[in-house]
Amino acid sequence: MSLVAAAVCPHPPLLVPEVAAGAAAELDDLRVACRAAVAHLTNASVDSLIVVGSDTTTVRRQPPFGGTLSPWGIDLPVGDPSGEQLPLSLLIGAWLAPHAADFQSVAVDAPPAECARLGRALAGQAERVGLLVLGDGSSCRTEKAPGFFDARAEPFDAAVAAALAGADAAALAAIDPGEAEELLVAGRAPWQVLAGACQDGDRKMTGELLYEAAPYGVGYFVATWQ
């Protein structure tokens, strides 16, 4: 039982064209990359596709999976909105992969060791496990970014991009939680869950970076591992 494929995507609500409205075309390249990443998971013929994203707590979500985008300005249902509202990261995951049947949140402040344990547990769930990992990079890339400008943001995001491109689980596991928190990084804990999921594998994974940009001063990455 092991992780055989993974996709990493960001989770801005503007990824959904109806939310972005007149600005929808600005993220077309990102949407194309995200669709390609999810197709990578489908083509891997996984037995269990698990969506992982950050929230305030670490919880295995129970069906029905879904919610509405009304907190972000439009009452658009995603998945099955009859159950408990998914947090934004998992809601975007449900929008990207409507066929997913397993959703796991991880606390945004979860220590790296806890993230690693969770990743190993998820990778052991089935013979062929796939992960869709949702997470944004630094929110401090420009003066108009949500966290204003921080000179550390660009090199931080560059290191994450390199780790994702190289399927470098050790580099993701080594991300400093304190620095990530200061740079308003939403993806640190989910990325470290991915790193943990690789620890017990019997072969090294390869990666491909499909997208890297910071269109709104926030680092967005799309990558595939196999």
Side-chain angles (χ1 to χ4, degrees), residues 54-72:
S54 61
D55 193 21
T56 55
T57 57
T58 299
V59 177
R60 177 59 63 89
R61 302 285 166 161
Q62 300 298 318
F65 302 116
T68 173
L69 287 161
S70 58
W72 296 276

Side-chain angles (χ1 to χ4, degrees), residues 2 8 40 82 107 109 120 126-128 133 138 156 165 167 179-180 202:
S2 64
V8 175
H40 163 78
S82 65
D109 59 354
R120 289 194 295 271
E127 192 66 30
R128 296 177 60 84
V133 179
S138 169
F156 179 96
E179 183 180 24
D202 57 1

Side-chain angles (χ1 to χ4, degrees), residues 1 22 33 36 44 73 93 98 121 123 126-127 140 149 157-158 169 177 190 194 197 200 205 215-216 220-221 225:
M1 297 188 292
E127 192 66 30
C140 304
F149 175 75
D157 283 349
L194 170 59
D200 294 334
M205 304 196 84
Y216 302 114
Y220 296 152
F221 317 101
W225 288 17

Side-chain angles (χ1 to χ4, degrees), residues 11-20 66-79 81 85-96:
H11 55 72
L14 291 177
L15 196 59
V16 180
E18 291 88 343
V19 175
T68 173
L69 287 161
S70 58
W72 296 276
I74 182 170
D75 189 14
L76 178 71
V78 175
Q85 170 88 12
L86 291 174
L88 176 62
S89 62
L90 297 184
L91 193 65
I92 296 300
W95 179 77
L96 286 170

Side-chain angles (χ1 to χ4, degrees), residues 88-170:
L88 176 62
S89 62
L90 297 184
L91 193 65
I92 296 300
W95 179 77
L96 286 170
H99 55 292
D102 209 342
F103 287 73
Q104 172 75 55
S105 66
V106 56
V108 68
D109 59 354
E114 180 181 322
C115 296
R117 286 194 298 271
L118 177 58
R120 289 194 295 271
L122 295 179
Q125 279 196 181
E127 192 66 30
R128 296 177 60 84
V129 173
L131 295 182
L132 173 56
V133 179
L134 284 302
D136 298 349
S138 169
S139 296
C140 304
R141 291 282 293 272
T142 67
E143 292 184 356
K144 293 184 178 180
F148 197 63
F149 175 75
D150 191 311
R152 299 172 296 169
E154 188 169 350
F156 179 96
D157 283 349
V160 171
L164 293 174
D168 191 341

Side-chain angles (χ1 to χ4, degrees), residues 10 23 34 50 58 63 72-73 84 99 102 113 120-121 159 172 181 196 226:
C34 288
I50 307 169
T58 299
W72 296 276
E84 179 183 358
H99 55 292
D102 209 342
R120 289 194 295 271
L172 292 183
E181 181 180 9
Q226 62 181 3

